[in-house]
Amino acid sequence: MSVLVVGSIGIDSIKTQLEERRDVLGGAASYASIAASFFAPVKLVGIVGSDFPQEYIELFKSRGINLDGVQVADGKTFRWSGEYEWDMNQRKTLNIALNVFENFTPKLPDAYQRAPIILLGNISPILQYHVLDQVEDPRFVIADTMDLWITTTRPELLDLLKRVDLLVLNDSEARQLTAETSLIKAGRAILQLGPRFVAIKKGEHGCLLLSQDQFFSCGAFPLEDIHDPTGAGDSFAGGFAGYLASLEKESFEFADLKKAVVYGSLMASFCVESFSLDRIKALSREEIEERYELFRLMSHFEVIE
Ligand code: AMP
């Protein structure tokens, strides 16, 4: 069962308080597709410019990712730069250049239109909607979003939410979208907007998963060294989508989604251990399963009589 991933593919420059990297592979769909590729076949939709380095194309190919839906346009690739504070949950965008994204109209190849799991990674909800319009009867649709779209294209985002099974967003975005301070109330308010499920990410504090009548709280895998949090959310979404696809089921229960949250959290933990996709791209499925087992032991506690 394959996962269709759409989102930004770009070149990032990243500064933390201790380190800096310029011109590295970034973009929501880059992280999400590579994370998902450890669990299921991936079909990528996006756009890059003629300056996009061939080595990154080779990286996607080496992970078996189908690139038929990636357009190569005349012009420059999307670029983003950001800087993290000492508290790495806080970052500011230093510069963003949409470049070829400005005139992007996603057109899905025929073989993409029946993909069962759809991951609408972080791009404008107008483009996310456009992709969704081209897929036939998907089994599960996941959408990610960010503060920019909540502010600038709120009506379009609200339209999209009516067609989505799961919305993934971080804590500050959930509060911004719903004008609630409590994340539980924010989650419930989001469920009223259309999605059957919502996953609210809390950075190094883990993630909440809500449905109308069920709730799951998952910690983040504790790490001693975090080098670059960029793409953690996208790796979470990719790991989540890939794991669901690997189940090969007609429909998914809350228990499936709980496990998908755990795999998503693990992929995010690998992502932040180095800059760009350096750690994730070199992973093996065995390392993921080893960390899963460690995470399970750490999170387990006996019922106290
Ligand atoms: P995350 O850390 O999960 O929020 O995702 C970071 C990635 O999102 C970076 O690699 C950026 O290239 C990409 N990004 C930043 N701003 C935008 C935007 N406005 N639209 C699409 N992608 C973006």
Side-chain angles (χ1 to χ4, degrees):
M1 198 187 267
S2 65
V3 183
L4 185 155
V5 177
V6 61
S8 55
I9 304 171
I11 308 286
D12 288 349
S13 291
I14 298 150
K15 252 190 205 173
T16 70
Q17 295 296 314
L18 299 172
E19 295 167 282
E20 181 170 1
R21 293 284 189 288
R22 303 194 66 78
D23 299 340
V24 292
L25 177 61
S30 305
Y31 285 100
S33 61
I34 289 183
S37 72
F38 286 92
F39 303 91
V42 177
K43 296 176 162 72
L44 182 57
V45 179
I47 188 166
V48 296
S50 45
D51 60 348
F52 192 65
Q54 185 61 26
E55 66 171 289
Y56 298 152
I57 299 278
E58 297 305 326
L59 170 61
F60 290 126
K61 285 188 181 161
S62 74
R63 294 292 324 144
I65 295 171
N66 183 330
L67 300 177
D68 293 346
V70 177
Q71 299 171 28
V72 183
D74 283 340
K76 288 192 175 152
T77 300
F78 170 76
R79 279 180 177 264
W80 175 81
S81 63
E83 180 173 2
Y84 291 90
E85 296 181 11
W86 283 107
D87 171 0
M88 284 185 162
N89 287 321
Q90 306 296 328
R91 87 170 169 211
K92 61 172 181 281
T93 291
L94 299 175
N95 203 10
I96 183 161
L98 291 178
N99 296 331
V100 291
F101 252 105
E102 250 166 309
N103 300 311
F104 179 46
T105 313
K107 169 92 186 75
L108 301 197
D110 288 351
Y112 279 43
Q113 291 166 10
R114 282 169 301 282
I117 309 285
I118 311 295
L119 173 51
L120 305 169
N122 181 22
I123 39 168
S124 136
I126 299 164
L127 294 181
Q128 292 175 317
Y129 202 97
H130 189 68
V131 168
L132 206 46
D133 266 346
Q134 295 173 64
V135 292
E136 286 169 25
D137 202 17
R139 273 182 224 182
F140 202 85
V141 179
I142 303 167
D144 195 351
T145 196
M146 70 184 292
D147 50 356
L148 176 69
W149 312 121
I150 297 171
T151 315
T152 61
T153 48
R154 194 183 180 91
E156 291 84 354
L157 178 62
L158 294 180
D159 274 351
L160 180 85
L161 291 185
K162 298 189 183 97
R163 299 176 65 186
V164 155
D165 292 292
L166 167 77
L167 178 68
V168 179
L169 74 182
N170 70 29
D171 43 6
S172 62
E173 292 157 355
R175 292 183 170 115
Q176 184 191 356
L177 180 60
T178 60
E180 292 284 359
T181 49
S182 149
L183 291 180
I184 312 275
K185 285 187 179 162
R188 291 212 185 103
I190 291 167
L191 295 175
Q192 298 300 316
L193 299 173
R196 291 160 54 213
F197 308 98
V198 57
I200 303 179
K201 298 164 294 167
K202 303 183 291 171
E204 62 184 329
H205 305 298
C207 174
L208 303 176
L209 176 71
L210 285 94
S211 71
Q212 288 293 351
D213 52 5
Q214 298 193 77
F215 179 81
F216 177 55
S217 172
C218 180
F221 185 81
L223 292 170
E224 224 169 294
D225 280 317
I226 296 178
H227 288 277
D228 172 19
T230 310
D234 311 310
S235 304
F236 173 91
F240 187 106
Y243 173 74
L244 273 196
S246 74
L247 297 178
E248 309 251 350
K249 289 174 80 168
E250 285 294 323
S251 62
F252 302 100
E253 290 151 31
F254 197 75
D256 301 324
L257 271 73
K258 280 165 71 172
K259 216 162 162 190
V261 163
V262 174
Y263 276 106
S265 303
L266 290 177
M267 295 314 286
S269 77
F270 286 115
C271 169
V272 303
E273 284 186 310
S274 67
F275 277 81
S276 182
L277 286 114
D278 289 359
R279 176 77 170 106
I280 287 207
K281 71 183 183 196
L283 264 182
S284 67
R285 187 65 200 258
E286 291 68 40
E287 281 177 284
I288 299 170
E289 294 308 327
E290 271 168 30
R291 191 169 281 191
Y292 181 93
E293 186 53 20
L294 213 53
F295 199 23
R296 195 181 68 75
L297 291 172
M298 275 177 190
S299 311
H300 176 85
F301 57 86
E302 302 294 337
V303 175
I304 300 160
E305 301 291 340

